[in-house]
Amino acid sequence: MGLFSKLFRKKEEKEKIPKEEPFHFDSPYCRFYYMSNPNTNEFGYEGELLLSGDWVDAMTIYLDTDSPETLEANICYTRLQDILSGREDINEEVKRSMTDYFLSRPELTDDSCTEQELLNGFLLSWLGIFRNGEIKLSFENSGIYADDITVLLKADGTKEIKYTDDNYEEHCDKL
């Protein structure tokens, strides 16, 4: 009987040890968790921003660290604050560019979809801010025949759009 009580007591003691929380920081927007992948040179933080208090309307945010050697993300976090303070402006600007782009390609749009419906149909689902000055935005949409829609705002001010069509072909064009 003494052997079993020692075995069970050790198991109970192990369960009482609190699990260590992954490295993170809290912001007014959400909690950001550190993640790293040396194979793809990704060192940064990711968090889920609730847009309407409902997880259905959540946007993932990625922030690069200031360098691969540090856990600080001050540069990208400051840029995030600037973007979110005028979030509608950058969102509307990019959505307008995408609407114009897809309207110029009737083979990718639903004929019954109006310009305003197309504009309103773009839902920002992912925002990435990178130390090299680039910003990536990923969108979901109804009314067009494309998936995996990503817009890249380059540090030099140019914009690129990438998407996959219904034939699973990837496209990349300037906006």
Side-chain angles (χ1 to χ4, degrees):
M1 180 106 170
L3 176 64
F4 287 118
S5 63
K6 287 181 182 179
L7 288 175
F8 288 119
R9 188 174 340 136
K10 286 184 182 180
K11 186 175 182 181
E12 288 174 11
E13 288 174 9
K14 286 182 183 178
E15 290 175 5
K16 290 180 184 178
I17 298 173
K19 292 185 179 181
E20 190 172 312
E21 180 80 17
F23 191 76
H24 66 277
F25 74 90
D26 292 318
S27 79
Y29 312 113
C30 62
R31 177 172 278 187
F32 288 94
Y33 290 97
Y34 180 74
M35 53 186 285
S36 66
N37 186 347
N39 295 331
T40 59
N41 199 27
E42 289 181 356
F43 301 92
Y45 292 87
E46 197 167 77
E48 293 289 325
L49 173 64
L50 296 180
L51 301 174
S52 68
D54 183 357
W55 281 107
V56 173
D57 293 326
M59 174 177 60
T60 302
I61 299 174
Y62 172 80
L63 304 171
D64 253 354
T65 56
D66 294 346
S67 74
E69 296 81 29
T70 182
L71 294 176
E72 299 293 321
N74 296 324
I75 296 168
C76 292
Y77 184 74
T78 300
R79 291 184 66 216
L80 173 68
Q81 289 175 309
D82 293 343
I83 290 168
L84 293 181
S85 68
R87 189 174 125 239
E88 294 305 315
D89 296 336
I90 192 171
N91 193 15
E92 290 303 315
E93 174 191 337
V94 171
K95 286 168 51 172
R96 171 55 57 197
S97 296
M98 290 189 307
T99 299
D100 293 344
Y101 176 85
F102 284 111
L103 284 174
S104 70
R105 289 158 178 77
E107 70 278 6
L108 295 173
T109 60
D110 183 348
D111 294 338
S112 65
C113 192
T114 68
E115 179 178 347
Q116 191 61 43
E117 289 171 332
L118 189 61
L119 181 68
N120 294 341
F122 287 110
L123 301 173
L124 182 59
S125 60
W126 190 86
L127 169 65
I129 303 172
F130 300 89
R131 70 179 77 85
N132 66 1
E134 294 181 345
I135 298 171
K136 285 186 184 178
L137 303 105
S138 293
F139 292 87
E140 297 174 9
N141 188 299
S142 57
I144 59 171
Y145 305 118
D147 291 314
D148 304 323
I149 303 167
T150 302
V151 173
L152 176 63
L153 305 175
K154 294 186 175 185
D156 65 5
T158 59
K159 299 177 202 167
E160 282 184 355
I161 185 169
K162 293 181 181 183
Y163 62 93
T164 305
D165 66 19
D166 279 352
N167 296 323
Y168 304 105
E169 290 182 42
E170 291 186 12
H171 300 269
C172 181
D173 290 311
K174 291 193 185 276
L175 278 181

